[in-house]
Amino acid sequence: MAIQQAKKAALERESGTSSRGRKKKGSRHQKGLRHFSLMVCEKVEEKRVTTYNEVAECLVRDLTNEAAQQSSTQSSGKKPHDEKNIRRRVYDALNVLMAMGIIAKDKKTISWIGLPGGVNEEVGNLTDQLEQMDARLVRKRALLANMMVDVVGMKNLFHRNTKEQQRRQQSSNSSSDEDDQPPPRVELPFVLVHTTRDAGKKEQTVIHCRMSDDRENVTFDFSDSFCIIDDKDVLRKMNVSKVNEWDLQRIFPVELRPYFPAGNIRQSSSSSSSDSK
C-alpha cells in the first residue's frame, strides 16, 4: 500500500511540474492521465519485459470486465470503455513513464527499470519509521501497565496503613507499652538488599555500610554477590498491587482499563480494597 502511494506521489510530482501553467484548463485530463499512468506502471512492473500491445490488451480486458461487473450489480448511466481510447491512453502513459526514466523502450520491447531513487528511499524511510513507532508503542504500553500497577499498589498500601493505624488507636488503651513499639506500617520509599547464601560456604556475606555526613548518600560494600529490590517490586511480591473489577473501574477511566495486566485483577470481589476504607 505504501509503495503504491509512493508511485502515485511520484507520478503526480512529475506530471504536475509540467502542467502548472495550464492546471485549471486541463486539470481533469491530467488527473485521469496520472491515474492511468499508475495502472500502466503496475502492469509493466508486473511483467518486467512486455510490449505496448500486451499492456493495452491487458488493460482493455481488465477495464471491460470491471465495467461488466458494475453494470450487473447496478444500472449506471456511464458509457462503456472505448478500446481505442484505452489504447491511446496507454500510449500516452508509456511516454510519461519513459520521460520519468521508469521504463525503457527498445523498438517494440518495453523493459521495467524501476522507480526513481528518491521514491524508493522515501518508502524505505517510511517503513523504518513505522517499525520504530511500533516498537515505541510496545514499550509505552508496557510502561503504562507498570505505572497503573504502581498506582493500585500505592492506593492499597494507603488503605492498609490507614486501617492498621485505626486498629492501633483502638487498642492503645489496652497496653501501656504499645506506643514504644515501632508502627507496623509499610512506609515509602525503601529498598531491600538481598544477598545469596551458598550452602557450601561457611562464611556469610559481609556488608559494610557508610553514610555521608549530610545523610544524603549511602555506600554499601559487599564481600559477595547481591541484588537490590526497590519498594515497587516488594509491593508486587506482597500482592498489594492486585485489584478487583469494581475497584479497577473506580480508579481508572474506561480508556485505560484494557492496558491493566490481567494477572493483577482479582476474580473474587470479597477481597476488595474498598472494604478497608
Side-chain angles (χ1 to χ4, degrees):
M1 185 67 180
I3 297 177
Q4 186 176 3
Q5 292 177 353
K7 292 178 183 177
K8 185 176 180 180
L11 292 171
E12 289 179 352
R13 287 196 300 267
E14 185 68 21
S15 59
T17 55
S18 61
S19 61
R20 289 179 181 176
R22 47 190 174 86
K23 184 176 182 181
K24 183 176 181 181
K25 181 178 179 181
S27 58
R28 185 175 180 181
H29 172 72
Q30 291 297 328
K31 182 178 180 180
L33 181 58
R34 287 195 297 266
H35 176 70
F36 212 85
S37 298
L38 180 61
M39 297 173 60
V40 174
C41 181
E42 292 175 350
K43 286 294 182 183
V44 178
E45 182 183 10
E46 178 184 351
K47 298 181 179 298
R48 311 303 293 184
V49 178
T50 182
T51 61
Y52 160 75
N53 289 329
E54 185 178 7
V55 176
E57 290 174 0
C58 289
L59 287 178
V60 168
R61 182 174 60 253
D62 293 345
L63 294 175
T64 303
N65 294 336
E66 181 181 354
Q69 293 177 359
Q70 291 180 357
S71 62
S72 62
T73 57
Q74 58 183 359
S75 59
S76 59
K78 295 182 178 180
K79 297 181 180 180
H81 292 283
D82 185 7
E83 181 176 351
K84 293 183 179 181
N85 186 31
I86 294 176
R87 289 182 175 274
R88 179 177 57 80
R89 286 179 172 269
V90 170
Y91 181 80
D92 294 338
L94 290 175
N95 289 332
V96 172
L97 296 178
M98 282 190 294
M100 295 174 61
I102 297 177
I103 63 174
K105 185 177 180 182
D106 183 13
K107 296 182 179 179
K108 294 184 178 182
T109 303
I110 299 174
S111 304
W112 173 261
I113 297 178
L115 294 173
V119 175
N120 291 329
E121 184 178 356
E122 182 179 356
V123 172
N125 293 335
L126 291 175
T127 304
D128 294 340
Q129 292 179 11
L130 182 60
E131 294 177 355
Q132 294 175 5
M133 292 176 66
D134 289 340
R136 289 180 57 189
L137 185 60
V138 171
R139 292 194 299 267
K140 287 183 179 295
R141 284 178 176 174
L143 180 61
L144 176 60
N146 292 333
M147 294 175 65
M148 295 175 68
V149 170
D150 294 339
V151 169
V152 171
M154 296 297 179
K155 286 184 174 292
N156 290 342
L157 182 62
F158 172 78
H159 292 309
R160 178 185 182 277
N161 289 344
T162 302
K163 185 177 180 179
E164 185 65 25
Q165 185 68 23
Q166 293 174 354
R167 186 192 65 80
R168 285 177 56 84
Q169 290 177 357
Q170 293 175 359
S171 60
S172 59
N173 297 329
S174 61
S175 175
S176 59
D177 297 336
E178 186 73 17
D179 295 336
D180 297 335
Q181 298 179 2
R185 300 183 302 173
V186 180
E187 298 184 357
L188 301 177
F190 67 88
V191 293
L192 295 182
V193 180
H194 178 263
T195 60
T196 58
R197 185 173 183 179
D198 193 351
K201 294 182 180 180
K202 296 182 179 180
E203 297 182 356
Q204 297 181 355
T205 302
V206 180
I207 304 175
H208 296 282
C209 177
R210 296 188 299 273
M211 181 179 293
S212 61
D213 296 337
D214 55 2
R215 304 177 68 87
E216 293 290 338
N217 299 319
V218 180
T219 304
F220 294 94
D221 291 333
F222 299 86
S223 62
D224 206 342
S225 60
F226 68 95
C227 65
I228 298 178
I229 307 174
D230 62 1
D231 47 9
K232 297 178 182 178
D233 291 334
V234 174
L235 293 179
R236 293 191 183 100
K237 293 181 182 297
M238 292 172 59
N239 290 330
V240 180
S241 300
K242 290 190 175 183
V243 66
N244 56 31
E245 289 284 352
W246 189 88
D247 284 337
L248 182 65
Q249 297 177 5
R250 181 177 56 86
I251 296 174
F252 299 107
V254 64
E255 295 83 3
L256 295 180
R257 294 171 198 166
Y259 299 101
F260 191 81
N264 289 75
I265 301 178
R266 294 196 191 100
Q267 300 299 327
S268 176
S269 61
S270 60
S271 58
S272 173
S273 62
S274 61
D275 296 338
S276 59
K277 288 184 178 179

